[in-house]
Amino acid sequence: SSELTQDPTVSGALGQTVRITCQGDILRKYYPSWYQQKPGQAPVLVIYDKNNRPSGIPDRFSGSTSGNTASLTITGAQAEDEADYYCYSRDSNGDRWMFGGGTKLTVL
Amino acid sequence: QVQLVQSGTEVKKPGASVKVSCKASGFTFTNHFMHWVRQAPGQGVEWVGIINPSGDWTNSAQKFQDRISMTRDTSTSTVYMEMRSLTSEDTAIYYCATDHSNSDSSAWWLDPWGQGTLVIVSS
């Protein structure tokens, strides 16, 4: 089966642009979705279907894919964006799905 | 509003089974596949399994295949996940989530998620 690899930690200054990446060969075939999880809460969808945001998600969140790497970009990171972020995709091996290992974002 | 409401905390002994429920409201339940995802303490999220809209097809991660059952009751818009032969490694929060997809763009996403059910396995 495939794998999705994320950096365990990413940090950026308040107001700066931060990028969280997700690598995997399956991303050449499928677009991932992205989830934000704050402590004690369920994950929340932030980006889906290439680069779409659910209602209520600020437009500073955007998604892109190039080759085997997908990126979640936060343009002008805010303190409330500190959270864990996960990418998610269908697996190449049958009707299964998978998550990346997650990235903990710290906004300095 | 669109929401998934899960059953409450479960405490089980090793070797026991647990059945978690997830009741949907605010959307057409019979139009959607439903997933289960779990998160062990301090760990990332892990995909557990999926059930189709009619409930006659399921699939799960390889590691759970021989000890998990997923069902759904369309009359109550509820999905269930039963896991057998529990060990301490199954201690986790279990989430249900609603599947969406776009076959044109080959994209899948989960929204909304239930609030989670804590399953504790301890002797």
Side-chain angles (χ1 to χ4, degrees):
Chain A
S1 62
S2 311
E3 238 183 27
L4 296 175
T5 301
Q6 298 182 241
D7 292 326
T9 60
V10 166
S11 61
L14 185 69
Q16 295 298 301
T17 296
V18 296
R19 183 169 289 111
I20 296 168
T21 60
C22 174
Q23 281 192 302
D25 285 341
I26 199 62
L27 300 180
R28 298 181 188 276
K29 186 176 181 181
Y30 300 138
Y31 287 100
S33 48
W34 291 92
Y35 302 84
Q36 176 192 71
Q37 186 181 35
K38 296 182 179 179
Q41 298 182 19
V44 172
L45 177 70
V46 293
I47 291 290
Y48 69 98
D49 196 9
K50 298 182 189 176
N51 185 22
N52 288 283
R53 286 174 288 105
S55 67
I57 300 301
D59 61 4
R60 62 179 178 271
F61 288 86
S62 64
S64 63
T65 301
S66 177
N68 73 337
T69 301
S71 299
L72 173 69
T73 302
I74 307 173
T75 304
Q78 302 300 302
E80 61 263 33
D81 299 334
E82 267 205 359
D84 294 326
Y85 290 86
Y86 297 94
C87 57
Y88 168 78
S89 172
R90 187 167 182 160
D91 197 340
S92 62
N93 194 2
D95 293 320
R96 294 190 172 103
W97 282 258
M98 59 184 171
F99 289 92
T103 297
K104 183 176 185 60
L105 173 64
T106 301
V107 179
L108 306 169
Chain B
Q1 72 275 30
V2 175
Q3 64 175 357
L4 300 173
V5 178
Q6 298 184 223
S7 48
T9 297
E10 300 270 8
V11 181
K12 298 293 182 181
K13 295 201 181 302
S17 299
V18 69
K19 191 170 186 176
V20 179
S21 69
C22 166
K23 184 174 176 60
S25 62
F27 66 97
T28 306
F29 177 71
T30 50
N31 284 355
H32 292 274
F33 289 75
M34 298 293 292
H35 294 255
W36 290 92
V37 176
R38 78 176 188 179
Q39 186 170 35
Q43 302 300 307
V45 292
E46 177 181 28
W47 185 76
V48 173
I50 183 174
I51 183 167
N52 72 343
S54 58
D56 59 0
W57 176 84
T58 63
N59 201 11
S60 61
Q62 194 90 28
K63 63 190 289 188
F64 304 117
Q65 287 241 293
D66 57 351
R67 62 188 186 99
I68 190 173
S69 299
M70 289 165 283
T71 56
R72 64 196 291 166
D73 182 343
T74 53
S75 68
T76 60
S77 298
T78 303
V79 290
Y80 300 90
M81 189 276 306
E82 181 178 33
M83 190 172 287
R84 301 175 291 277
S85 303
L86 294 168
T87 73
S88 59
E89 295 188 351
D90 296 314
T91 294
I93 299 173
Y94 289 76
Y95 296 100
C96 58
T98 308
D99 177 89
H100 301 263
S101 63
N102 182 341
S103 56
D104 291 338
S105 58
S106 297
W108 286 264
W109 59 98
L110 301 174
D111 183 53
W113 294 55
Q115 85 278 16
T117 296
L118 176 60
V119 175
I120 299 169
V121 184
S122 174
S123 55

